[in-house]
Amino acid sequence: MAPILSGKRIILGISGGIAAYKSVTLASRFTQANALVDVIMTHSAAKFVAPVTFQAITQRDVATDTFEFWHDAGRLRIGHVALAHAADLFIIAPATAHTIARLALGLSDDLLSITALSYKGPMLLAPAMETNMWTHPATMRNVQILGDWGVDFIGPAEGRLASGEVGEGRVAEPEEIFEVACKVIGRGGPLDGLRVVITAGGTREAIDPVRFMGNHSTGKMGVALARAARDLGADTVLVHAPLAVHPPGGVALVPVHTAYQMYAAVMEDLPQTDVLIGAAAVADYRPSASADKKLKKLPQQQIITLERTPDILQAVGQRRGNAYCPDPAGPDRQRPRLVIGFAAETNDLEANALGKLKRKNLDLIVLNDVSAADSGFAVDTNRVILFERDGNREDWPLMSKEEVAQAILQRVVARLGRLNWQKRRP
Ligand code: C5P
């Protein structure tokens, strides 16, 4: 679920391409997220998919004609003006070359274009067309004009097109559009202008070219945190080891495999990082040597010698100063405003979590009992206890990982407020 969309009014414009059928899924995703979706179709879009399909999905009127009127709160209102003024987000998916051109020229010759011209908020276009149409200088120029006005684009992707050819021009997948829509609507939120870096997934340490030492982390918690940060307007980076779930859209992804690679990626971003949340299950040890050829099966016992990997959170938490109050010791001593860790424990829960909070010099640690069936790896729920630097302890009830992530990010907002943080200046 995406609470950022709940109660929001979305205009979903559909222009005439075969990709219109994919927007049925998109309309359904938005409706399930409790957004109010007003679908406007061009006449050619209505030839590909019947308006009644969208009407059934959104449970709202679907319009194609400028001279249709809407009733809103019992009043008769001029459709395009009322819709445009009420909307929080305007999406056009698929956006054909023709519709993009009409928007760039400011034409208003049908309901979709006239509503777009009456609208002032964030707009997201998902182009879909043949490769030659997309790469044509006229389309490129129109995209540039709209981009300069602040319109966001998602895609098009490379892939199989309606003509049977393969090339650039395929509409972005509904799930991607949905995710980027959350980001666009969340812009200007309480974390606007801040960079939140999250580590996720379970690192893999090579034994030989085909085997590794790993763990059961799926990355669900880290991915949920990245979505929650994105939806609050943060410039979000997900440094992730292999994931068992889809990575989120609208987030900068930095894929890694090993603990050392994750350490290097986090350190590289550190000068820009405002908040670091370590949700990854990072290997504490790695084989001292990784064989460059596949190890053979031998009759006798084999021993793999292990060596320690760097503790990423500890290395970051123990730094002093931050981007806004540089430490006299120099810029390489910068510490993000907030450093947050997770403690996945099976025993001595509280003592272990508090030990880590102190040792790693964290601002907050989120403890979960990974031996409990409803908490920890591979399940969708988590029961956590929060320990804050100032001694505050909070036991949260069983929640979905999404809810835990949203609550943690709300805590980030509150703590940054107390720190009297300033937004990053351009
Ligand atoms: O010490 P322990 O591994 O239990 O600490 C867990 C927390 O520290 C998690 O937030 C995890 O992401 C982080 N961690 C890390 N680098 C390591 C080990 C753990 O950042 N090498």
Side-chain angles (χ1 to χ4, degrees):
M1 268 300 158
I4 182 78
L5 294 177
S6 183
K8 294 282 171 25
R9 291 192 68 149
I10 298 177
I11 298 176
L12 177 56
I14 300 177
S15 52
I18 180 60
Y21 81 93
K22 290 193 176 176
S23 295
V24 176
T25 307
L26 187 58
S28 166
R29 282 291 271 126
F30 286 133
T31 306
Q32 284 174 40
N34 295 323
L36 294 174
V37 187
D38 287 304
V39 172
I40 300 178
M41 306 180 79
T42 62
H43 285 285
S44 46
K47 294 202 166 119
F48 285 101
V49 182
V52 70
T53 306
F54 288 102
Q55 220 158 315
I57 295 274
T58 62
Q59 301 277 296
R60 294 174 71 78
D61 285 340
V62 170
T64 49
D65 201 325
T66 310
F67 298 101
E68 287 177 49
F69 291 87
W70 274 261
H71 288 273
D72 201 353
R75 283 196 301 148
L76 191 64
R77 308 179 79 189
I78 297 173
H80 68 268
V81 177
L83 266 189
H85 289 191
D88 298 295
L89 176 63
F90 200 135
I91 301 179
I92 304 183
T96 58
H98 185 231
T99 288
I100 290 172
R102 286 187 303 148
L103 297 185
L105 282 174
L107 297 183
S108 53
D109 55 351
D110 71 351
L111 180 60
L112 181 56
S113 53
I114 198 170
T115 312
L117 206 56
S118 311
Y119 173 78
K120 282 190 126 173
M123 183 177 262
L124 174 63
L125 303 188
M129 64 199 76
E130 286 302 300
T131 308
N132 287 348
M133 293 170 80
W134 173 247
T135 55
H136 194 285
T139 306
M140 289 289 101
R141 186 201 56 204
N142 293 332
V143 167
Q144 173 87 46
I145 290 172
L146 294 170
D148 290 346
W149 291 343
V151 172
D152 283 281
F153 283 83
I154 164 123
E158 289 246 349
R160 200 179 156 79
L161 305 173
S163 60
E165 286 175 27
V166 174
E168 201 182 359
R170 195 183 154 97
V171 77
E173 290 305 318
E175 198 52 37
E176 279 177 73
I177 301 175
F178 178 85
E179 295 247 24
V180 173
C182 293
K183 175 189 168 122
V184 171
I185 219 164
R187 225 177 250 153
L191 294 181
D192 180 47
L194 287 170
R195 191 167 173 94
V196 177
V197 176
I198 293 154
T199 68
T203 59
R204 294 178 174 184
E205 309 299 330
I207 296 170
D208 69 16
V210 296
R211 304 181 180 95
F212 59 83
M213 281 172 54
N215 59 67
H216 291 298
S217 171
T218 57
K220 275 185 187 164
M221 193 64 229
V223 165
L225 286 161
R227 288 201 171 99
R230 174 199 69 194
D231 293 356
L232 291 172
D235 169 17
T236 310
V237 181
L238 185 69
V239 179
H240 69 91
L243 302 170
V245 292
H246 285 296
V251 161
L253 300 174
V254 184
V256 298
H257 279 90
T258 67
Y260 267 99
Q261 288 168 354
M262 187 170 273
Y263 175 85
V266 168
M267 290 302 165
E268 197 184 324
D269 202 273
L270 211 53
Q272 292 95 260
T273 306
D274 294 293
V275 178
L276 174 67
I277 309 182
V282 188
D284 292 323
Y285 296 93
R286 68 172 188 177
S288 304
S290 159
D292 52 5
K293 292 208 174 60
K294 186 181 170 193
L295 295 174
K296 290 288 163 233
K297 207 180 299 171
L298 298 169
Q300 69 273 33
Q301 186 186 18
Q302 296 296 305
I303 293 172
I304 299 176
T305 313
L306 303 176
E307 64 181 24
R308 279 297 308 268
T309 54
D311 190 311
I312 304 165
L313 271 192
Q314 186 159 323
V316 176
Q318 288 182 348
R319 289 180 167 230
R320 270 175 278 123
N322 57 49
Y324 311 99
C325 325
D327 187 272
D332 60 340
R333 301 289 298 160
Q334 286 169 3
R335 180 188 190 275
R337 286 260 150 170
L338 294 178
V339 183
I340 298 175
F342 277 74
E345 304 294 337
T346 54
N347 55 293
D348 297 329
L349 306 181
E350 180 164 347
N352 280 329
L354 286 174
K356 280 174 197 171
L357 181 79
K358 199 150 191 269
R359 193 167 60 251
K360 301 188 192 212
N361 191 30
L362 306 177
D363 298 279
L364 195 159
I365 194 154
V366 183
L367 165 70
N368 63 336
D369 177 357
V370 285
S371 64
D374 55 9
S375 200
F377 296 125
V379 291
D380 290 327
T381 50
N382 229 354
R383 190 191 304 276
V384 304
I385 307 175
L386 237 67
F387 295 96
E388 297 188 77
R389 178 195 277 287
D390 41 26
N392 183 37
R393 171 193 167 133
E394 268 178 48
D395 293 58
W396 288 358
L398 185 69
M399 294 193 266
S400 70
K401 286 187 174 167
E402 276 73 28
E403 288 166 334
V404 172
Q406 285 147 19
I408 291 171
L409 266 300
Q410 285 302 340
R411 188 53 59 102
V412 166
V413 172
R415 285 197 72 102
L416 288 172
R418 283 208 292 281
L419 286 174
N420 199 16
W421 58 276
Q422 289 162 22
K423 291 190 179 186
R424 185 175 292 284
R425 281 169 287 278

